[in-house]
Amino acid sequence: MMLPIRTMTSNAGRTITFSAMGFGAAPLGNMHRPLPEAEADATVRAAWDEGLRYFDTAPLYGHGLSEMRLGRTLRSLPRESFVVSTKVGRILEPCRAGEEDSGIYVATPQLRVRFDYTYDGIMRSLESSLGRLGLDRVDILYLHDIEAKCHGRAGYEARFGELFDQGGWKALDELRKTGAVTAIGAGVNEVEPCARLLEQADPDIFLLAGRFTLLDQSAQGLLADCQGRGVGVVAGGPFNSGILATGPVDGARYDYAAASEGIRQRTQVIADICVRNGVSLPHAALHFALMHPAILSVIPGGQTPDEVRHNAELFRRPVPSSLWTDLVSAGALSPGAIVAAPSSAASHLASTGQKINANR
């Protein structure tokens, strides 16, 4: 069953059509646990069967594993029937066993990461990603993690220097102009680099993770600016890396770390209001992420076919508009976060056919 869609047109005049819910492929990179190849294949196939047509990946995710696993299934599908994005800014290089430094990803290939946002780094990264995916092109190319949270303040400034002084943005623009990719932007966890790129460059799209959720609406101003300038946004991390899916249970995670007591208490307040409105916490989290008209797609991850099917089922099921009113009244949501409050974000998309045009 196909999901509702939104479309955008890049600065190069090419249109991309997104399923309102997409598939975040980070879990395919052995996030927290080794994933059998058959299970990875079945998970991607489940996403396709549920009508998801937008797939996002990156070299970081499992140090190439996510791209290889995602590409294996996508190659069997008609190329014009899906949209795929990957990311640049990290080069994977061979290393000695034990030097992979792969963080939350386990049992990765014997590769380590080197950051590189220069012209040559962008071009090399894309070429390597296409090889792992086994595709002749990707639709969207995001600068990955070009933010202070990842590099520190001094490192962040240095990376932006690479991007603009050593040809990184020039490379992205060339790829867009020649049609090698359709749209360019950034995939980050912070608002600041997106705002900076809006000011200094001409991005088409951002993938912003965790900053427009039931727990964090710090992207409100950015979303308004993007809407005004015709720049699309993909909402990543709708569960804030875990707690909005699991609830405030022992071991709940928020932004890739153990959730604080304060976050757990706020989550419980939101969960209680959800229950009073007849919906679950993850159900509300998925719908909230698409409340803003600047957002093209929401991309929860999925590590099993059942997780993917469950997310799709929640997404198709409407939520009452009273939920948003109650959350605002209780102080659990910023009043400005509710730009439009349809009874169901998904059905709203189906009825409006919203088009975001990035031509300026």
Side-chain angles (χ1 to χ4, degrees):
M1 180 189 300
M2 286 295 293
L3 292 171
I5 63 171
R6 277 184 171 179
T7 63
M8 64 161 279
T9 304
S10 75
N11 286 306
R14 301 182 184 92
T15 299
I16 302 178
T17 298
F18 294 81
S19 54
M21 186 169 74
F23 178 76
L28 295 184
N30 287 352
M31 183 185 284
H32 303 303
R33 72 175 180 94
L35 190 64
E37 299 299 327
E39 189 172 8
D41 291 348
T43 300
V44 180
R45 179 58 66 171
W48 175 265
D49 291 343
E50 291 294 336
L52 281 62
R53 295 295 182 267
Y54 171 47
F55 300 85
D56 174 71
T57 185
L60 173 66
Y61 305 154
H63 290 196
L65 273 179
S66 174
E67 289 181 318
M68 290 187 287
R69 289 167 166 174
L70 180 64
R72 190 165 57 220
T73 296
L74 292 185
R75 289 194 301 272
S76 69
L77 303 169
R79 182 60 188 89
E80 297 304 319
S81 64
F82 61 85
V83 171
V84 62
S85 57
T86 193
K87 305 182 183 74
V88 291
R90 286 180 172 92
I91 302 294
L92 299 180
E93 298 177 330
C95 65
R96 291 195 291 260
E99 295 182 346
E100 296 86 356
D101 192 22
S102 50
I104 62 174
Y105 301 99
V106 302
T108 65
Q110 203 167 307
L111 300 167
R112 64 184 170 193
V113 165
R114 176 174 61 83
F115 286 103
D116 192 333
Y117 296 92
T118 66
Y119 183 99
D120 289 342
I122 299 299
M123 293 300 193
R124 180 180 169 189
S125 180
L126 175 59
E127 181 180 11
S128 297
S129 287
L130 291 175
R132 288 187 290 267
L133 285 161
L135 300 173
D136 62 353
R137 62 183 173 87
V138 295
D139 301 282
I140 304 167
L141 209 53
Y142 295 115
L143 293 161
H144 201 188
D145 290 340
I146 188 163
E147 59 194 13
K149 184 175 182 178
C150 182
H151 301 287
R153 176 53 58 177
Y156 167 64
E157 295 298 334
R159 296 306 178 188
F160 257 83
E162 283 182 19
L163 183 65
F164 289 107
D165 299 336
Q166 299 183 51
W169 191 262
K170 178 182 176 182
L172 290 171
D173 190 42
E174 285 182 7
L175 291 166
R176 176 174 57 184
K177 285 178 177 176
T178 61
V181 300
T182 303
I184 59 174
V188 292
N189 299 279
E190 295 184 349
V191 170
E192 181 184 355
C194 299
R196 187 168 179 174
L197 286 170
L198 278 180
E199 185 177 312
Q200 295 183 222
D202 59 342
D204 303 302
I205 187 170
F206 297 121
L207 195 172
L208 184 59
R211 303 287 77 86
F212 193 68
T213 71
L214 291 175
L215 285 168
D216 185 333
Q217 297 102 56
S218 58
Q220 280 180 235
L222 175 71
L223 291 175
D225 290 343
C226 287
Q227 184 182 9
R229 295 184 56 176
V231 173
V233 180
V234 171
F239 301 134
N240 277 126
S241 82
I243 194 166
L244 289 175
T246 65
V249 298
D250 289 342
R253 300 182 70 81
Y254 174 77
D255 278 1
Y256 310 102
S260 69
E261 183 59 28
I263 288 294
R264 288 171 55 147
Q265 289 175 358
R266 287 182 55 206
T267 303
Q268 188 62 62
V269 170
I270 295 169
D272 290 344
I273 294 171
C274 288
V275 169
R276 291 201 295 271
N277 281 271
V279 302
S280 68
L281 183 63
H283 186 186
L286 284 175
H287 280 265
F288 174 76
L290 267 169
M291 294 296 293
H292 199 287
I295 294 179
L296 298 162
S297 185
V298 56
I299 53 167
Q303 204 171 40
T304 68
D306 285 345
E307 287 179 1
V308 170
R309 286 190 283 263
H310 180 62
N311 287 339
E313 178 189 358
L314 292 178
F315 188 79
R316 290 192 176 95
R317 196 185 308 159
V319 297
S321 57
S322 60
L323 171 64
W324 315 120
T325 304
D326 290 351
L327 286 168
V328 171
S329 296
L333 273 185
S334 165
I338 308 301
V339 177
S343 60
S344 164
S347 63
H348 176 66
L349 292 176
S351 64
T352 61
Q354 176 87 17
K355 181 169 181 177
I356 294 180
N357 192 318
N359 286 318
R360 295 193 290 275

